[in-house]
Amino acid sequence: SQELEQSPQSLIVQEGKNLTINCTSSKTLYGLYWYKQKYGEGLIFLMMLQKGGEEKSHEKITAKLDEKKQQSSLHITASQPSHAGIYLCGADKPEGDAGGTSYGKLTFGQGTILTVHP
Amino acid sequence: DAGVIQSPRHEVTEMGQEVTLRCKPISGHNSLFWYRQTMMRGLELLIYFNNNVPIDDSGMPEDRFSAKMPNASFSTLKIQPSEPRDSAVYFCASSLARRKGGYQPQHFGDGTRLSIL
């Protein structure tokens, strides 16, 4: 089965600093999703990556998928206290033949806890 | 548009009682997922449905757990009898699953925080 490993497990930074969270897969990633979770709340979808070398940005958060499609990184520029929370990567796995029906099942990493000190 | 709606938000009950968690997925989504989250084990997939049909329930911990999806707009997760080790946050998520790829993200509800005393 596919496994996702996130690093670091936790991260404490000073406001204004840049940071990077990594997500590594044991198998080829067909679809890679980044989510953010605040304490006591559900997971909020941030971005999805599919193609090798793909990069997407939303405000100060940039996500990349490497060419081999086995590693993704999430980079936050000039962090703010509002960025604090748990970041999880999730990977899609097509059921049956490649390109066949995808039921949308995701395998998640263990999460990275981000603390941003003002 | 309304997101995934879960109820109740919090549930505290005594060991041995039946617990029923409810979920209303996003209209038009055809896949529904039930997860459990704890500090020790992280986010665990319990069961998921596609077009109201259970696809994989291998994550359901024991026979005490059961889930149903009687129609496209409603699902329940039931625990009977409940035990203290069932205490966790339970999330429901939905997505639009397409044939031939076309990956779509899952959208999560705010969860039900369950405490079994």
Side-chain angles (χ1 to χ4, degrees), chain B residues 12-27:
Chain B
V12 180
T13 191
E14 293 188 345
M15 175 178 169
Q17 296 297 308
E18 177 179 292
V19 173
T20 299
L21 310 181
R22 297 172 176 80
C23 176
K24 177 178 169 57
I26 292 174
S27 177

Side-chain angles (χ1 to χ4, degrees), chain A residues 56-94:
Chain A
K56 288 186 177 179
S57 294
H58 176 67
E59 298 181 342
K60 294 184 178 180
I61 301 177
T62 300
K64 300 178 184 179
L65 182 61
D66 74 342
E67 289 289 343
K68 293 184 178 180
K69 295 173 63 176
Q70 284 193 276
Q71 184 169 23
S72 178
S73 61
L74 188 78
H75 184 77
I76 299 177
T77 303
S79 58
Q80 301 170 354
S82 61
H83 288 127
I86 303 173
Y87 289 82
L88 295 98
C89 61
D92 203 333
K93 175 182 178 296

Side-chain angles (χ1 to χ4, degrees), chain A residues 35 37 92 95 99 102-104, chain B residues 31 33 37 48 97 100 103 106:
Chain A
Y35 287 85
Q37 183 182 24
D92 203 333
E95 301 288 345
S102 169
Y103 295 116
Chain B
S31 284
F33 306 82
Q37 187 178 42
Y48 67 102
K100 305 291 184 184
Y103 305 100
Q106 290 182 20

Side-chain angles (χ1 to χ4, degrees), chain B:
Chain B
D1 289 339
V4 175
I5 300 172
Q6 290 187 248
S7 64
R9 285 298 312 277
H10 303 274
E11 175 86 15
V12 180
T13 191
E14 293 188 345
M15 175 178 169
Q17 296 297 308
E18 177 179 292
V19 173
T20 299
L21 310 181
R22 297 172 176 80
C23 176
K24 177 178 169 57
I26 292 174
S27 177
H29 282 187
N30 58 3
S31 284
L32 183 140
F33 306 82
W34 281 102
Y35 292 90
R36 178 172 68 176
Q37 187 178 42
T38 62
M39 288 294 292
M40 291 295 293
R41 301 173 70 92
L43 193 65
E44 301 175 276
L45 177 63
L46 301 177
I47 184 172
Y48 67 102
F49 298 81
N50 181 255
N51 292 326
N52 312 337
V53 175
I55 302 299
D56 184 354
D57 65 354
S58 60
M60 296 285 260
E62 299 172 32
D63 290 344
R64 300 184 294 106
F65 286 69
S66 63
K68 293 182 179 180
M69 191 163 187
N71 57 62
S73 59
F74 184 66
S75 177
T76 60
L77 178 68
K78 188 173 292 187
I79 307 173
Q80 166 63 20
S82 58
E83 296 184 5
R85 60 191 167 127
D86 301 330
S87 298
V89 181
Y90 290 81
F91 289 104
C92 175
S94 70
S95 71
L96 176 61
R98 301 179 189 276
R99 293 182 180 275
K100 305 291 184 184
Y103 305 100
Q104 299 292 321
Q106 290 182 20
H107 295 271
F108 284 73
D110 286 334
T112 295
R113 186 172 295 275
L114 178 63
S115 297
I116 308 296
L117 307 177

Side-chain angles (χ1 to χ4, degrees), chain A residues 22-116:
Chain A
N22 293 302
C23 175
T24 303
S25 171
S26 57
K27 297 184 179 181
T28 302
L29 295 163
Y30 291 98
L32 190 284
Y33 304 78
W34 282 100
Y35 287 85
K36 178 186 175 184
Q37 183 182 24
K38 289 194 170 183
Y39 180 75
E41 300 179 11
L43 279 68
I44 304 298
F45 168 68
L46 295 175
M47 281 174 276
M48 177 182 72
L49 303 166
Q50 287 181 243
K51 301 176 183 177
E54 187 174 9
E55 180 176 321
K56 288 186 177 179
S57 294
H58 176 67
E59 298 181 342
K60 294 184 178 180
I61 301 177
T62 300
K64 300 178 184 179
L65 182 61
D66 74 342
E67 289 289 343
K68 293 184 178 180
K69 295 173 63 176
Q70 284 193 276
Q71 184 169 23
S72 178
S73 61
L74 188 78
H75 184 77
I76 299 177
T77 303
S79 58
Q80 301 170 354
S82 61
H83 288 127
I86 303 173
Y87 289 82
L88 295 98
C89 61
D92 203 333
K93 175 182 178 296
E95 301 288 345
D97 296 336
T101 301
S102 169
Y103 295 116
K105 175 185 175 182
L106 298 181
T107 300
F108 284 93
Q110 78 275 28
T112 295
I113 302 172
L114 173 63
T115 304
V116 181

